[in-house]
Amino acid sequence: MPLIFLLLFLLPIPSFADVSPTITSFTASPSAINSGYTTILSWTMEGSSGNNLYFNCPLGVKIIKTDGTTFPCNQRIPASSGISDSIGFNIINVSGGTVVINATVYPKDLNGADYDAGAKSVYITANTTPHPITDFYSSATTVVATTTVTLSWVGHDVSGTNLQFDCIAGVQVFVSGDSTQTSLPCNTPVFSSSLGMSGSSSFTFTNSSLFATSLRATILPMIATGLYDATHALSLSLDIAGKPVQPSILIDSFNVSNTQISSGNSLVFSWSAPKASGVNFQITCSNSVSVGTTTSSKLPCNTPAFSRSLPTISTITLYFLNNFNSYQYLSLYLLPQNADGTYDGTKSKKLDITVIPAGQNSASPPAATPPSVQTGEAPQKIIKTIVFTQSLKKGSRGNHVTGLQKFLAQNQTLYPEGLITGYFGLATERAIKRFQEKYNIAKQGEAGYGTVGPKTRAKLNSLENF
């Protein structure tokens, strides 16, 4: 008996130091929540002097303790020193989608070091915040150039936002008060640094088109630095007014020394248009008559005659040659020039000139017969300078309008004015109406009358002869 007692005395007695620290239980309740709601983490430990808690957070996730303090993500943070504990956490998810968050409790040994082998993890599913932006509004929805418009928004849960504008041809956006007047990028977040969760920002807009256009502005909730959630953004539409129509440019006077001229002689033209940027001549085409600044030169017809604009108040001498044996008639237009360098045919003034064949007197000229009334002639081959692909209407400008006017000017019945200005004015509209009626495309009161739409474009592109 004494020997047994001695053996028992000599055997090692287990100590607390020999027990491995372990998390015996770890739960999250509930384990699936909506953004902004609370889950309770509970755990018990054995053989541990404390613990560290770790949240593995995806982008766009924040952990908030129920006392309102932020609990850092992706770091081991001391949670408690008790053998068991429960802590509530609010989970904010602005990632734009449902995420799974891994939470792990690491027990500490008696020396205070984490014992990873005894750790336990739970998984929490968190839905995204459904409305990270709750309101987005503008101080004005119809915007005139240089007018300041303020965009305001109210956010929820997000730590930042950014603005984005669609790309629209001719439209530029500027930060109000920016002395550099640098236009903002489009179809991408505007600012390199995020804006506040709620706030406002002011802008000015320009539109180089003559027509108003709709521009979409979007407020983007931030997921993380430089990363934004387009699926939960809010947008609004701004109507950007077109470029202001320039005031009417009036020609005060346009005169000629005589309205009849014998072939080989000259006429003196004078004019006054002080409100224009300049002027130019346009001469109707005639196979029998040439007009030039000398007897051996010839100015182009049905297009601005001079490569550079003429002074707004001046005179010019032009020579006329009639290569036919009968009286010939043509018109000369004075075109005022706009500030942008284009010529406005709708504000032009016209002089009609009779050119008498060489060797005939001008005592009793025959009645003028406008070249637009021509009958019984062979079909006229059309010279095309462009394939029409754009819809055009009154107010349109550009190469397609110029090509359209050149096309129509080849038939003086359709387009007696023959003005080639690059601007779709009243004269061009009348010519298109005649064209549509001639080829049974449209008539007064029908949709598309006076405009170049799909049917009119198809006819323009297919027509070979007038």
Side-chain angles (χ1 to χ4, degrees), residues 282 344-346 388 392-396 400-409 414-436 449-452 456 460:
Q282 185 159 310
D344 188 354
T346 64
F388 297 100
L392 304 171
K393 62 182 179 180
K394 187 170 68 175
S396 298
H400 278 258
V401 177
T402 300
L404 176 66
Q405 291 170 333
K406 288 181 178 179
F407 184 102
L408 296 169
L414 295 175
Y415 192 26
E417 297 87 353
L419 299 174
I420 315 296
T421 63
Y423 175 75
F424 196 125
L426 291 173
T428 307
E429 184 182 52
R430 288 193 296 269
I432 284 296
K433 289 177 178 178
R434 296 185 191 107
F435 181 87
Q436 291 172 324
Y449 186 58
T451 68
V452 178
T456 305
L460 289 167

Side-chain angles (χ1 to χ4, degrees), residues 163-183:
L163 283 160
Q164 181 169 306
F165 298 98
D166 285 357
C167 289
I168 302 294
V171 174
Q172 290 185 305
V173 185
F174 304 87
V175 174
S176 179
D178 179 11
S179 59
T180 65
Q181 280 297 287
T182 302
S183 62

Side-chain angles (χ1 to χ4, degrees), residues 15-362:
S15 68
F16 184 72
D18 292 330
V19 178
S20 297
T22 305
I23 304 297
T24 56
S25 68
F26 184 31
T27 60
S29 180
S31 59
I33 59 173
N34 291 322
S35 178
Y37 283 73
T38 300
T39 184
I40 305 296
L41 298 187
S42 303
W43 61 88
T44 58
M45 304 183 296
E46 186 178 277
S48 175
S49 62
N51 57 64
N52 276 329
L53 181 58
Y54 177 90
F55 284 96
N56 183 11
C57 300
L59 288 176
V61 171
K62 291 189 298 185
I63 308 297
I64 309 293
K65 295 176 70 173
T66 51
D67 63 5
T69 59
T70 299
F71 192 90
C73 283
N74 304 322
Q75 298 181 44
R76 297 188 185 191
I77 303 296
S80 70
S81 58
I83 293 176
S84 62
D85 209 343
S86 294
I87 303 178
F89 296 93
N90 293 332
I91 297 182
I92 308 298
N93 174 17
V94 293
S95 68
T98 299
V99 298
V100 176
I101 303 158
N102 178 358
T104 303
V105 177
Y106 295 92
K108 294 179 180 289
D109 60 22
L110 295 180
N111 295 319
D114 285 354
Y115 185 69
D116 292 5
K120 274 191 180 297
S121 297
V122 294
Y123 294 91
I124 306 158
T125 301
N127 296 321
T128 193
T129 299
H131 303 292
I133 305 295
T134 58
D135 200 6
F136 184 37
Y137 54 95
S138 172
S139 60
T141 55
T142 300
V143 184
V144 179
T146 72
T147 300
T148 298
V149 173
T150 300
L151 302 179
S152 303
W153 62 94
V154 178
H156 173 65
D157 285 344
V158 293
S159 57
T161 56
N162 212 325
L163 283 160
Q164 181 169 306
F165 298 98
D166 285 357
C167 289
I168 302 294
V171 174
Q172 290 185 305
V173 185
F174 304 87
V175 174
S176 179
D178 179 11
S179 59
T180 65
Q181 280 297 287
T182 302
S183 62
L184 297 173
C186 58
N187 283 353
T188 190
V190 164
F191 299 104
S192 57
S193 299
S194 64
L195 304 172
M197 176 174 70
S198 301
S200 62
S201 193
S202 298
F203 304 90
T204 57
F205 303 82
T206 61
N207 179 7
S208 61
S209 167
L210 291 175
F211 306 102
T213 187
S214 180
L215 175 68
R216 184 175 62 174
T218 302
I219 186 73
L220 302 165
M222 187 173 77
I223 297 173
T225 301
L227 183 64
Y228 300 93
D229 176 14
T231 60
H232 293 85
L234 283 186
S235 297
L236 56 80
S237 183
L238 301 170
D239 292 324
I240 312 300
K243 181 180 178 181
V245 177
Q246 297 179 343
S248 297
I249 300 172
L250 300 178
I251 297 174
D252 292 345
S253 63
F254 182 36
N255 301 301
V256 64
S257 54
N258 200 329
T259 57
Q260 292 184 3
I261 183 69
S262 294
S263 178
N265 292 314
S266 63
L267 294 174
V268 177
F269 294 83
S270 61
W271 63 88
S272 175
K275 295 180 182 178
S277 298
V279 298
N280 212 324
F281 277 72
Q282 185 159 310
I283 307 161
T284 56
C285 287
S286 169
N287 293 330
S288 305
V289 178
S290 61
V291 182
T293 53
T294 67
T295 55
S296 60
S297 65
K298 183 178 180 180
L299 293 171
C301 60
N302 282 356
T303 189
F306 299 96
S307 58
R308 293 186 179 181
S309 62
L310 303 174
T312 56
I313 302 174
S314 190
T315 62
I316 193 170
T317 300
L318 297 178
Y319 290 82
F320 294 77
L321 292 177
N322 181 354
N323 301 313
F324 206 57
N325 59 2
S326 64
Y327 283 67
Q328 297 296 308
Y329 310 96
L330 73 162
S331 300
L332 280 80
Y333 293 84
L334 187 71
L335 307 174
Q337 186 182 41
N338 296 315
D340 60 5
T342 59
Y343 295 102
D344 188 354
T346 64
K347 305 296 187 301
S348 64
K349 287 210 171 200
K350 181 178 77 164
L351 290 172
D352 294 316
I353 306 297
T354 302
V355 186
I356 304 167
Q360 296 188 24
N361 65 57
S362 58

